[in-house]
Amino acid sequence: MLRKLSVTYDGHSISLENVTTLAVLGDNGVGKTAFLERIALTNEENIGTILNVKGSVNYENFSVNIDDEEVKCECVKAERTYETLDNIGRWIPFESRCHICEGSSRYKVNIIYPYATFLTPIHEPHYGVAVKPNVEAMKFNDMIKGFIDGTVIPARNDYIYQNGDNVIYLDNLGRGYSNMVKLLWHVYHYKPDILLIDDIETLSLHPKRLQALLKWFTEYIRNDKLKAMLFTTNSDAYVYLAKVDENAKFLLLQKDSYIVMNREEVLNRLDSED
């Protein structure tokens, strides 16, 4: 749990307390993704993740306070361009960066963009080759055994799914299933303290599976393996969160203001709308 989380920018200050899971809601253009990205930029290494997805980062004069540790940033700008060719005709990326921040956070923050991070990889030739899970793969499968009936084996740039003698590429099981397993592998492998997911609906999960995943995150946080999980959504994902986490918070961003709701308030609002 995060005892305190506040983000200040453009004359706005958004403050939350006792955050375990948080759904960030609002119309397009109100700054849901920007809210997550400012939190992500308390860890400078997330600049590379954002560049991989968007090609540029541009934030000025903001601060993030997480459990009384504040990061103040005057300038976080970066751009990736492809301007020259190497000797075999490949474009060479060029990056320019400005990172002027004071302070640090003890928490490791990771940001995930399911619509870009989990694109189908180029498959490696595993068919006809003996595939055996290592110790880490078995620990991972034990962690997610409620979601799978078989063994997921991480390999370089790929994932193999094995059930008995059946060995196939994970992506062949369906986009939603594949995205879910890759997300959980990211959590297992990188072990973030705070996980940020932009547009969680782009995991492409069936509603019941998405609700099961959110329940899993709630229990994972309750077991102190993750401090908090925050996500933006334009779908009913926040409804599923309200059903599985009694401590969930909901942040409704508006053009010049915001509303923080707890589970009871969200459910009451849904009842009144029905």
Side-chain angles (χ1 to χ4, degrees), residues 211-234:
Q211 184 169 322
L213 178 66
L214 293 172
K215 183 178 181 180
W216 182 90
F217 272 115
T218 299
E219 293 171 353
Y220 203 66
I221 293 168
R222 188 175 293 132
N223 292 330
D224 204 27
K225 295 180 179 179
L226 188 68
K227 287 290 183 181
M229 188 273 289
L230 292 67
F231 64 84
T232 66
T233 180
N234 283 317

Side-chain angles (χ1 to χ4, degrees), residues 23-26 32 199-202 205-212 214 231-244 250 266-267 270 273-274:
V24 184
L25 316 171
K32 300 188 298 294
D199 286 346
I200 196 169
E201 57 270 11
T202 59
L205 291 173
H206 184 278
K208 288 184 178 180
R209 192 176 290 276
L210 177 57
Q211 184 169 322
L214 293 172
F231 64 84
T232 66
T233 180
N234 283 317
S235 73
D236 289 337
Y238 75 99
V239 179
Y240 310 138
L241 178 63
K243 291 180 179 179
V244 299
F250 304 85
V266 165
L267 292 176
L270 290 172
E273 290 177 352
D274 290 341

Side-chain angles (χ1 to χ4, degrees), residues 179-194:
N179 285 344
M180 178 189 67
V181 173
K182 290 174 184 177
L183 172 63
L184 293 171
W185 171 255
H186 182 96
V187 172
Y188 173 81
H189 182 70
Y190 292 102
K191 295 178 173 57
D193 297 303
I194 302 171

